[in-house]
Amino acid sequence: MLKLRVRSITFEGEDILSFELVDPAGAELPPFDAGAHIDVKTPVGMMRRYSLCNAPGRRDHYRIAVLQTPNSRGGSRAMHELIRAGDLIEISGPYNFFLLDALAHHVILLAGGIGITPLISMVEQLEQQGKSYELHYCTKSPERTAFLPRLANRVATGRVHIYHDLGDPLQG
């Protein structure tokens, strides 16, 4: 288990917060590939698995995003209500059971809701490698769409397509 400090908490969308985790002494964190996750010990003692959603190769921090769900058994609620910047939390990992195919010439990524978390890391890895990709991301509404600022330029270039359950996002 590693003890990491919550350096910052960012509002990513309705009911979605991201947590930036760093080593308290400033040491590098273990490396990871796109699609990896960590297990987080929540403030109420539950272990929950969260995908890393920062660029692979960044070893100065990990970023996870947590959707607070109304029927939560306590994990997401504890992360949203009890964790504050400066707190120490325990994690294990990173582990990866969702690797990109290194031999693929063109990758099509499909994300729904908070399922964007491992895929945003994959987008950044594919771009670092100069590989062809497209991401299709469906959410309930613009307000529930995580990481819009990170995706905006990719939407503009046509590599990322965003859809909403409530209709065409371009019709505003």
Side-chain angles (χ1 to χ4, degrees), residues 108-140:
I108 298 173
L109 302 166
L110 306 173
I114 198 65
I116 188 67
T117 54
L119 300 187
I120 199 158
S121 181
M122 290 179 177
V123 162
E124 293 184 356
Q125 181 170 313
L126 290 165
E127 288 176 351
Q128 288 171 356
Q129 296 171 341
K131 293 204 173 185
S132 174
Y133 76 90
E134 59 189 272
L135 168 66
H136 297 268
Y137 178 24
C138 184
T139 67
K140 285 186 179 181

Side-chain angles (χ1 to χ4, degrees), residues 10-97:
T10 304
F11 175 83
E12 299 290 354
E14 184 179 302
D15 294 326
I16 304 167
L17 297 177
S18 71
F19 299 81
E20 184 176 308
L21 311 174
V22 297
D23 183 273
E28 285 192 334
L29 299 175
F32 70 95
D33 290 316
H37 67 273
I38 58 174
D39 294 323
V40 175
K41 186 174 182 181
T42 69
V44 292
M46 304 170 131
M47 292 298 286
R48 290 291 180 261
R49 183 166 289 166
Y50 296 108
S51 296
L52 293 171
C53 54
N54 54 296
R58 294 288 310 261
R59 298 191 50 202
D60 61 325
H61 75 279
Y62 291 153
R63 181 171 299 278
I64 58 171
V66 179
L67 170 67
Q68 184 172 358
T69 55
N71 56 354
S72 167
R73 292 181 300 165
S76 71
R77 185 172 43 249
M79 293 293 291
H80 275 248
E81 295 175 3
L82 302 176
I83 296 287
R84 299 290 177 256
D87 288 353
L88 290 174
I89 62 172
E90 288 185 73
I91 72 152
S92 62
Y95 308 103
N96 200 333
F97 305 117

